[in-house]
Amino acid sequence: MSIAATSTIVGSFSPTRSPTGRLRPRMALRSSGISVTPILADLQKNCATPLPVLRHVADAMAADMRAGLAVEGGSDLKMILSYVNSLPTGNEKGLFYALDLGGTNFRVLRVQLGGKEERVIDTEFEQVSIPEELMFGTSEELFDFIASRLARFVEKEGGRFCLPHGRKREIGFTFSFPVKQTSIDSGILIKWTKGFAVSGTAGKDVVACLNEAMERQELNMRVSALVNDTVGTLAGARYWDDDAMVAVILGTGTNACYVERMDAIPKLPDQTLNSRRTIINTEWGAFSNGLPLTEFDRDMDAASINPGEQIFEKTISGMYLGEIVRRILYKMAKADDLFGDAIPEKFSKPFILRTPDLCAMQQDSSDDLEAVGLILNNTIGVASNLNARKVVLEVCDTIVKRGGRLAGAGIVGILQKMEEDSKGVVFGKRTVVAMDGGLYEHYPQYRSYLQDAVTELLGSEISKNVIIEHSKDGSGIGAALLAASNSKYGH
Ligand code: ADP
Ligand code: MG
């Protein structure tokens, strides 16, 4: 469903002749003084996120969360139990490892924890990008790669890192795909997302997959916690700040988790659990209610390996923003000769324009937009005049603004749901929303659109108490902390 909104375009149509001789209407965009076509005008209209749209999205997010907590399969949002019922206290001690399989990167990390006084004594990490062929290979190939990199990393342990004699190394495994968690250290993969299509993993316990691969590598480690990246981020943020209640990832994909009351989870089979609160992994990437979508979103979805799924993710996260923009520019090139007559072959290649390219273009504040021209040339292979570059920036801004503002509305939806159940739990006091992921970290325009939407929705008074902040490397340390709290040696 899309909600009609007033267009930001003001101007008058005047027919112009293209180099190919076709007649087409042009109009002037008053704010930037550029000559644009109806494609841009339509796009801005269809992607607009005025307050009523944001409010609808926030309300729908809260309602879908409730439906997903009521019964299994009750909503697009799976509202998965994390089995993390207590967050780090600061007392955690010892050497712990973490392994983080995201959508683009794979990270290994070790941390020496020193308890309340010393906190993080030392930490080291390594990051490798995931070879593309592994995204389409077999489960064994992917997990063997992970285990072999982990083994290499463990070999280099030394310095201030120290494992007490006779103990097995323990690891927190951050796995950023939807998993039906069955305990703190086991979970079944529901499906791959973010472009992964690995065979033989869906329906399997991903911890068992990792354990088997570690055995094949003769790596003697124990997975003490299987952690979603959002849950890791929340744990990492809580280690430093008691007010952290929500965590959101905006990287290749997107997801969010939050602290929930046990008695607000009707679908919980066993209400006698000895904890009052737990962390719920919303899997909000699957949200789809009331989003302002366009033909470009629908076409991209139809061509994806998971059509009809992860619609929120496809609208707001890093994997997709660049591709949406490419599809729009491609249409403008064909219909309006935005870049002249020639349309290079590579321009038609999906995902050739990436979100970091949009970001780099949007940082160009020079008069002639030289960097924009260079990036367009290097990525999609086109030459551009100044007007075309300005149009490109308008397109980027439209898509990034929609993404950031919708992400902000999603966050408000979560806060709203928490507040409705326990008055004062978020809006009556300082509340921290811990953010992580490459998109949030590196894209200043996206960040500020997100914050704008939160402020607009909550009003200036309440939003002063809602602190949305980047949790630097939260999820890695968080997974190690959860491995510590679930250590078989106690802590
Ligand atoms: P993952 O999602 O794989 O765990 P990250 O959180 O590091 O990994 O996010 C990587 C994603 O962040 C990239 O796929 C990209 O979409 C986005 N990203 C990375 N750098 C930038 C940038 N400079 N500008 C905008 N987006 C970026
Ligand atoms: Mg990640």
Side-chain angles (χ1 to χ4, degrees):
M1 184 181 80
S2 93
I3 292 173
T6 42
S7 166
T8 51
I9 298 293
V10 276
S12 58
F13 283 89
S14 65
T16 53
R17 196 170 289 278
S18 77
T20 48
R22 272 175 274 149
L23 266 182
R24 69 170 57 91
R26 291 229 172 238
M27 57 196 294
L29 189 70
R30 195 184 288 159
S31 58
S32 56
I34 57 172
S35 168
V36 299
T37 67
I39 298 177
L40 180 56
D42 273 355
L43 181 78
Q44 288 176 322
K45 189 176 97 198
N46 294 332
C47 292
T49 47
L51 198 51
V53 171
L54 295 180
R55 194 149 274 148
H56 177 89
V57 167
D59 290 347
M61 184 67 78
D64 278 6
M65 288 170 70
R66 231 173 256 294
L69 290 171
V71 280
E72 211 60 70
S75 115
D76 283 346
L77 270 60
K78 292 213 151 54
M79 306 300 283
I80 295 169
L81 286 173
S82 65
Y83 290 85
V84 172
N85 301 340
S86 58
L87 283 162
T89 57
N91 292 321
E92 295 78 5
K93 270 190 180 173
L95 169 65
F96 294 92
Y97 277 78
L99 188 160
D100 180 335
L101 182 67
T104 306
N105 298 310
F106 160 67
R107 281 157 55 94
V108 281
L109 170 146
R110 70 181 136 245
V111 57
Q112 187 76 36
L113 300 167
K116 265 264 166 346
E117 296 303 312
E118 294 178 282
R119 292 276 167 157
V120 174
I121 296 172
D122 205 353
T123 173
E124 274 176 351
F125 78 90
E126 267 175 29
Q127 175 164 313
V128 250
S129 58
I130 301 163
E132 211 177 310
E133 65 273 15
L134 289 181
M135 293 170 61
F136 305 100
T138 66
S139 190
E140 281 79 21
E141 285 163 350
L142 178 65
F143 281 95
D144 278 346
F145 169 79
I146 294 170
S148 69
R149 290 306 175 114
L150 176 62
R152 252 192 255 173
F153 182 65
V154 171
E155 261 171 34
K156 287 184 264 176
E157 182 187 292
R160 303 173 76 188
F161 298 95
C162 157
L163 186 77
H165 191 70
R167 281 200 182 189
K168 217 172 177 173
R169 286 181 183 79
E170 292 184 291
I171 189 162
F173 179 22
T174 304
F175 186 75
S176 333
F177 298 90
V179 161
K180 171 139 179 53
Q181 199 110 13
T182 40
S183 70
I184 183 65
D185 57 2
S186 63
I188 309 291
L189 176 69
I190 297 171
K191 60 179 180 187
W192 289 106
T193 54
K194 298 181 277 194
F196 275 65
V198 176
S199 61
T201 329
K204 279 210 185 143
D205 179 355
V206 292
V207 173
C209 292
L210 178 60
N211 277 332
E212 286 158 21
M214 289 198 300
E215 268 168 39
R216 287 193 290 270
Q217 298 291 328
E218 293 173 6
L219 179 60
N220 187 21
M221 283 179 109
R222 170 179 180 264
V223 178
S224 355
L226 171 64
V227 184
N228 184 267
D229 54 349
T230 56
V231 178
T233 301
L234 186 54
R238 180 62 76 91
Y239 187 62
W240 302 107
D241 192 332
D242 285 340
D243 292 334
M245 298 291 273
V246 179
V248 174
I249 300 289
L250 288 159
T252 309
T254 183
N255 192 11
C257 75
Y258 70 106
V259 177
E260 182 58 285
R261 280 175 16 198
M262 284 283 192
D263 62 357
I265 314 174
K267 72 176 176 184
L268 244 192
D270 183 5
Q271 288 285 350
T272 59
L273 291 168
N274 55 4
S275 166
R276 286 180 52 237
R277 291 181 194 279
T278 188
I279 299 175
I280 293 287
N281 163 17
T282 64
E283 287 297 334
W284 84 357
F287 177 77
S288 64
N289 199 330
L291 300 174
L293 301 178
T294 66
E295 62 179 287
F296 307 102
D297 301 295
R298 285 186 266 274
D299 291 348
M300 179 180 73
D301 175 49
S304 72
I305 58 168
N306 51 352
E309 291 177 4
Q310 300 294 104
I311 304 299
F312 196 45
E313 179 158 276
K314 285 171 180 161
T315 317
I316 72 168
S317 83
M319 175 166 169
Y320 302 100
L321 300 182
E323 171 62 5
I324 299 169
V325 168
R326 185 199 64 82
R327 285 173 176 272
I328 299 162
L329 298 182
Y330 192 62
K331 178 166 179 183
M332 289 174 155
K334 284 199 299 188
D336 297 329
D337 300 336
L338 181 64
F339 306 109
D341 266 345
I343 298 185
E345 177 80 31
K346 66 178 181 177
F347 196 170
S348 65
K349 193 167 173 239
F351 297 96
I352 193 87
L353 187 66
R354 300 167 326 124
T355 305
D357 301 321
L358 311 189
C359 177
M361 289 197 283
Q362 282 207 274
Q363 310 319 311
D364 183 358
S365 55
S366 67
D367 288 341
D368 56 358
L369 299 176
E370 195 182 336
V372 175
L374 266 176
I375 292 165
L376 289 172
N377 197 262
N378 289 339
T379 53
I380 53 180
V382 297
S384 53
N385 60 26
L386 184 58
N387 186 65
R389 292 172 193 176
K390 286 183 178 173
V391 171
V392 170
L393 287 184
E394 281 289 326
V395 172
C396 293
D397 189 61
T398 305
I399 295 307
V400 167
K401 183 175 187 177
R402 180 185 67 166
R405 286 174 66 83
L406 290 174
I411 292 172
V412 172
I414 293 181
L415 296 173
Q416 221 169 278
K417 150 76 174 81
M418 296 169 82
E419 180 71 15
E420 279 163 16
D421 284 6
S422 317
K423 269 243 144 323
V425 71
V426 280
F427 294 159
K429 63 176 208 25
R430 180 176 177 274
T431 297
V432 171
V433 180
M435 309 291 297
D436 204 5
L439 175 62
Y440 186 82
E441 183 176 356
H442 299 297
Y443 210 143
Q445 282 86 353
Y446 188 98
R447 260 198 320 267
S448 86
Y449 284 133
L450 184 155
Q451 180 66 59
D452 288 351
V454 172
T455 311
E456 279 175 41
L457 279 164
L458 294 180
S460 57
E461 269 316 297
I462 290 178
S463 61
K464 264 188 227 146
N465 268 331
V466 173
I467 317 296
I468 298 181
E469 66 183 16
H470 181 217
S471 162
K472 187 77 192 126
D473 191 37
S475 94
I477 299 259
L481 285 163
L482 292 171
S485 2
N486 293 288
S487 165
K488 70 169 173 177
Y489 307 106
H491 69 271

